[in-house]
Amino acid sequence: MKLSNFEVKYLITFWILLFSTSINLEAQLPPQLWDFANTNTQMYFPDKLGVTEEFHIHTNHHFLRFNAKKLKLVQFRSNAPFERNRGMERLLSKTDFDILSMYLEYNGSRYKVIRDEANPSYLGEWVEGGKFFQRRFISGLKLEDGPLFKFGLEIASWADAFAFTLTYDENFMPEDEMKLIIEFDLPQEQYNISKKSKQELLVSSTNDLHWNVKSDQVDNSIKMGGGKIKIEAPLKNRMVSAIFSYVHPFQENGGIKVTATDRNSPFNDLKVKKDTILQATVVSLNDNMQSKFGMERTQLVLENTTNKVQFERLIFEKSETVKDITGCSIILRDKEGFPTGIPIQLSKNWHNNYYSKYMGPWIRGFTMVAIPPNKSVELEISRVSGYWGSLPAVSHSQLSLCAWGNKTATSHQLWEETAVGAFGESICYEPNGGLTKSMITDVRPLFVRSTDKNVAAPKMYDWTPNVGGGDFLRYYDMEGNLKQIKQMKVNYIRNCPNLSEVVYTGKTENDEADYKLTTHIIRSNDYLRAYYHVELTVNKTFEFSRLAIAQFGSETYAFSHENNFGYGNEYGILLDIENERDKTGYSIKNIDAPGAAPWASMHNAENPMPDKYGTWANRGLVLREWKSIIDGELVKPQFSTFVHYSSKIKKNVTLIELNFPHDIRALNQGDVIDAVIELCILPNEPDSYYGDNENFKEFMKEAANTWKPMFREAYQNTQKLNIKKGKLVRRTPLMIDAEDDEVVVDISNGVGYVPVTISNISNYKKFRAIITKNGDFINLKDQEKFGNDYWQTDYNPESKTWEVTYSIPMDDNIEP
């Protein structure tokens, strides 16, 4: 392909600016570092909360079924690599076993640890969860016919290791000699137990997979006999653990020396320790950075002095006090500062109002890496909170609810928090709907501050008002009962700092259809945008009295009170009316959503909490893509407004819905829902916006609190592409496959910063991305602050290629 003079000039400039530090292939990082990028751990419920008694843990190497109500491990399956993606129906055993038993022993008598019947439906706390690591804790256990002691059970799992830990949770220590005991009664037709050493056993499964089993303390004893494993510990240790680790055929664990040094002054060595129960090396971060605008930089050296490939499970941890905890991006970069794309799970907790052994604040990043024989690798742990370069960083992390609120049968389960910057939450998700029966919970506007002199909140770079609530594929049966998505699993594609991408999959309540929701938030400096790809594939007929493909807010979580509703398309406004809220139910329905970019706006919002907040926000959506098919034909989308009574503000509020025509009351095998929706959260007062996007600031002086911002987003932010080299993979958000590690594309039309992901790259630091705007050069290094801190790199383990995401400034004369 022949390039124009401009493109040649741009290519030379871009190459010099971005890749002047590229080094030869011999000096590249070893490819084994990405060996564990295909890791996936999932903890989920087989049925909806409130009904299920079990939770499952499914990883690359094992499948655990645990009945929390009966306090029984009913299945342990050792998975071969090819079984990693098997569905639940092929993993479940026809027999429920009783594999795990726990005891307190005193004077030769055993007292079994059982559930406290006061709250038998409590499933335990979801402490941590993500790509690499899952942890759950069941508290309030007691002894059967024994002393009135309290116990707890922690279940922790990596993809290739897991541990059961019985904890003694009383403050006092009896003077008498007592023992804690964990026993495993493994099915003899599935497993064989042999002695490996005095403190370690070997468990071999019938599919020729092997597990090392040990305990956490040298004074614990581990024994075998009659198909059972018995681990004893003195009560004074306060816990006893049974630790299982998969025997990798081509790699070994534990032969890597890990050192960490602060790269910011005063350049201290950081604490590095081996955690036996967690089966990982923990690196203690020190929070040595400027609040919101700084970067914590830690040199990480991984040294393998053996003659075999060694791997390490790593945890990067900051606890006790954590700066700007609501936003956190942790990126592994090479020593030149290039993001490597090695994935890191983010889990955190800031709740500390109630007693909990996992009380916050803390942040933990989990990952796994492998190092070749006799090799030393230097990386950098780069942590930012508010800003990545000159723009707010995006982050998607699991937020632990430990130490938050009272425990109920459905509370303290998976909660996900996204943030643009570190100014409070941006959007939160509750995939299982345990507290709110709603996928979207808290939603907060970006870069708004109080305009009321008498009300301090929200302050700059701080928490803003909650205008949240929302749901997807929310449906009611013919009797009007809300039905829930079950077996919700999470797949983390990318989590920071330019673009997030997290996929939630599940099934409808009676297995009629497969559910998939892909979520994104983006890095920008004007207002909050999120993208949702909603997919439903119908396997058998199911009927419903109501179905909302998307709903903002939600009938079980909504208290934003907008007075006006408007809708239109890329050509302008079609209707702008006052919301009618005299009675609950549908106010307006069967509104056709024509055109290439149908949009809806809820504006002219009232502040329902004027004593707490000095400003509020409006909401709107754009239907970016629609490919929904019923009975083999493309069906047209429609908007509706639904009135719901909010008990929080004691008023009727109006919700926006995206629907099929309302006379459709059933879906049949082969029907498909496929929609891409953009959600926007906008300031409702022009003076409340304090960000540095001057175009948006000027526009809002005339358009705030009207439908016009949503029309601007729908019309002006629909990008037009001229791809000269590369292949379009996805329009929302943009993804382009590189050809021969090169992309040449011109983008026109856009608002704020537009994320562009370049995929199919064979080397994370040696590629060409020629991206122009209306034919003009874009100097992306204007976004740089500490060096190489303006793009995001992710590794695709399926294709074994890298993906790089840039934030492209599309406003004219935008201030970077």
Side-chain angles (χ1 to χ4, degrees), residues 67-114:
N67 188 308
K69 184 175 182 179
K70 297 177 181 178
L71 200 67
K72 287 185 178 182
L73 177 62
V74 295
Q75 185 180 355
F76 161 43
R77 178 189 173 104
S78 189
N79 294 335
F82 65 87
E83 297 176 303
R84 179 166 58 99
N85 295 320
R86 282 193 170 182
M88 189 179 73
E89 64 281 354
R90 299 189 66 185
L91 292 171
L92 291 177
S93 169
K94 294 180 181 179
T95 303
D96 284 359
F97 298 96
D98 188 0
I99 298 173
L100 172 69
S101 298
M102 299 170 289
Y103 303 94
L104 176 75
E105 185 175 282
Y106 175 50
N107 282 340
S109 297
R110 279 185 169 190
Y111 302 93
K112 189 172 184 179
V113 177
I114 61 172

Side-chain angles (χ1 to χ4, degrees), residues 541-562:
T541 299
F542 74 102
E543 297 178 325
F544 45 85
S545 58
R546 284 180 52 209
L547 170 66
I549 297 168
Q551 185 184 76
F552 305 106
S554 113
E555 289 160 75
T556 45
Y557 198 92
F559 38 85
S560 199
H561 196 266
E562 301 95 348

